[in-house]
Amino acid sequence: MAGGADPDNRRCMNWQPDEQEQQVRQFVTRLIKFRRQQADFLATSQLTWTIDGHCLILTRTDVEQTIQGRFNLGAQAVSTVSGVSPILTAGITANEMAPGGFELTVA
């Protein structure tokens, strides 16, 4: 949103759909849908985390499935996981994950 220092920091919300960040909205909608679909699994599965180079890897596992989130916390791009099709991504181009990017996979 546009704005500046007080009192310009209290501009009205722009509710026009063509001017909002539709990509962000769609992405958040996909995250919410995934969370709702996986609510039981996320509440009962075991969580582990590891660091691999500059990537934080969060893994949730139960007897039926594994969900893994891989987050690039470094300042350089890193290779994506080969042979796995992610269900949600951000900052992925070709086979690289940009700084701040992530990939979410289900197996």
Side-chain angles (χ1 to χ4, degrees):
M1 286 180 39
D6 194 22
D8 191 36
N9 62 345
R10 293 183 181 91
R11 288 190 189 176
C12 293
M13 178 71 174
N14 181 354
W15 294 104
Q16 300 302 314
D18 58 330
E19 295 181 28
Q20 290 181 355
E21 293 288 337
Q22 291 300 309
Q23 290 178 344
V24 173
R25 184 171 192 254
Q26 291 170 359
F27 181 73
V28 170
T29 300
R30 289 175 55 205
L31 286 174
I32 292 168
K33 182 179 177 182
F34 175 79
R35 183 174 180 265
R36 286 181 177 162
Q37 290 172 340
Q38 298 290 338
D40 290 339
F41 173 79
L42 295 172
T44 60
S45 58
Q46 178 160 352
L47 173 66
T48 59
W49 61 274
T50 57
I51 301 290
D52 181 13
H54 293 286
C55 288
L56 169 64
I57 302 169
L58 300 174
T59 305
R60 283 208 171 261
T61 306
D62 70 5
V63 295
E64 296 179 8
Q65 75 177 347
T66 298
I67 296 178
Q68 186 174 81
R70 190 165 171 256
F71 305 85
N72 183 359
L73 305 179
Q76 303 293 323
V78 296
S79 297
T80 58
V81 177
S82 61
V84 179
S85 296
I87 60 166
L88 285 172
T89 63
I92 304 286
T93 54
N95 291 324
E96 287 191 334
M97 184 187 328
F102 79 91
E103 57 187 348
L104 184 66
T105 59
V106 176

